[in-house]
Amino acid sequence: MNPWLFLALALTAIALSLWVPRLRLRRALAAPFPAAWEEILRRNIEVSRSLPAPLAARLRMLVKQFLLEKHFTGAGGLEVTDEIRVTIAAEACMLILNRPGGVYPGLRYIIVYPSAFVVRREARDEAGVVDLAPHGLLGESWRNGKVILAWDSVLNGSRNFVDGRNVVLHEFAHQLDAEDGSVNGAPLLAGERSYRSWAAVFSEEFAELQRDTRRGRESLFDHYGATNPAEFFAVATETFFEKPEQMAQHHAELFAALRSYYRVDPREWIRRSP
Ligand SMILES: [Zn+2]
């Protein structure tokens, strides 16, 4: 083939591969939010009714983009419906309502089981024996662009936005944590000073939750957050969105750190009882 013709074809292919997804996104965002999706939000995303108008509009734009870009797969016999897709997308997008940086650009696949799923994990005992231990899970976030969820837990969490437990917020907080390349409880922040103050606030609160957990004392945070700093960030995120008043009152510095990270203050949203 003529090398000039080859070059022209290659450049055209590159231009199309960049242009077509942008065009599809622009079209999807310009389309009205479907009435059926609106009904799903009304029914399943209790908090969406309490958002101020600009955030409510933003949520709908983010959901449209999320559903265009992410692939959903049912597992364990589950058939993926619009209700499942819209509910998960809306919950996930609550975390990025006011954040720059796109709609989870590293995420491609969402796998949904009907209920708690069992995975087999390698676990080393003290003698170094590797065991394949089965665990029942409600959700899992992978760094290779995958989130796995149990639909019954998703629905319970989305219909009750005040109990501090929400598997979608939890797993998608792990996705945000992974944006800087490591899942360690410190997501991508603005600069070195931000990391220093983040580390100071989070390590103190993490140590306190570990003490409470060891001593069997109650905490505003789920004791699962004492597992490691990454779990603490995910659990603190659930608490920040679902119990903002208590968190601001009793864990003011941590609340302020998360408010500046997520760029929203969930206390401003009218709280309704479940
Ligand atoms: Zn977790």
Side-chain angles (χ1 to χ4, degrees):
M1 188 190 287
N2 179 323
W4 290 109
L5 180 61
F6 178 79
L7 186 64
L9 284 174
L11 287 174
T12 308
I14 292 168
L16 278 176
S17 70
L18 294 171
W19 180 69
V20 170
R22 271 187 219 168
L23 187 69
R24 282 180 66 217
L25 177 60
R26 211 176 326 149
R27 274 205 192 135
L29 294 182
F33 197 77
W37 294 7
E38 198 64 62
E39 172 56 26
I40 294 165
L41 289 190
R42 199 198 59 72
R43 198 166 60 234
N44 290 351
I45 311 292
E46 186 230 337
V47 70
S48 72
R49 286 176 265 156
S50 318
L51 292 175
L55 291 184
R58 173 99 177 118
L59 178 66
R60 284 153 180 80
M61 296 301 265
L62 291 168
V63 166
K64 286 192 270 186
Q65 185 169 351
F66 191 102
L67 293 179
L68 179 75
E69 294 175 349
K70 318 302 177 198
H71 302 276
F72 284 74
T73 308
L78 184 80
E79 189 189 327
V80 174
T81 60
D82 268 3
E83 178 171 29
I84 292 174
R85 295 166 72 243
V86 172
T87 303
I88 291 172
E91 286 281 294
C93 292
M94 290 299 296
L95 296 187
I96 51 170
L97 276 180
N98 230 1
R99 282 190 50 73
V103 180
Y104 301 100
L107 176 71
R108 281 282 164 276
Y109 302 101
I110 294 137
I111 297 155
V112 192
Y113 283 82
S115 55
F117 48 94
V118 173
V119 292
R120 298 190 80 83
R121 284 275 176 282
E122 280 192 7
R124 269 172 210 280
D125 68 12
E126 280 163 13
V129 177
V130 177
D131 174 35
L132 282 172
H135 295 281
L137 291 178
L138 308 178
E140 224 180 15
S141 167
W142 290 58
R143 276 167 62 188
N144 60 357
K146 209 162 60 176
V147 164
I148 310 176
L149 295 163
W151 170 236
D152 58 357
S153 299
V154 169
L155 200 54
N156 286 340
S158 70
R159 287 184 173 169
N160 180 338
F161 211 78
V162 293
D163 67 352
R165 293 193 175 197
N166 189 308
V167 68
V168 179
L169 298 186
H170 183 105
E171 301 308 334
F172 280 82
H174 284 319
Q175 286 289 312
L176 293 176
D177 191 357
E179 275 180 358
D180 62 355
S182 58
V183 184
N184 56 8
L188 202 55
L189 301 171
E192 204 182 307
R193 267 183 57 197
S194 313
Y195 280 102
R196 272 204 300 273
S197 63
W198 183 275
V201 173
F202 269 72
S203 56
E204 194 176 308
E205 289 277 5
F206 176 58
E208 189 184 322
L209 182 61
Q210 284 194 309
R211 279 196 299 276
D212 288 345
T213 305
R214 263 198 313 271
R215 293 170 189 168
R217 272 201 309 244
E218 266 201 32
S219 166
L220 181 64
F221 305 109
D222 189 321
H223 284 169
Y224 183 64
T227 308
N228 58 46
E231 294 307 339
F232 183 63
F233 171 62
V235 164
T237 292
E238 292 175 82
T239 314
F240 172 77
F241 280 93
E242 297 211 350
K243 294 185 167 181
E245 289 92 355
Q246 294 104 303
M247 191 172 173
Q249 203 178 341
H250 302 292
H251 304 269
E253 284 188 45
L254 185 60
F255 183 83
L258 288 168
R259 188 178 56 187
S260 98
Y261 175 70
Y262 286 113
R263 301 181 186 206
V264 289
D265 187 341
R267 289 175 301 177
E268 292 165 0
W269 309 337
I270 303 159
R271 315 299 293 174
R272 292 164 194 255
S273 50

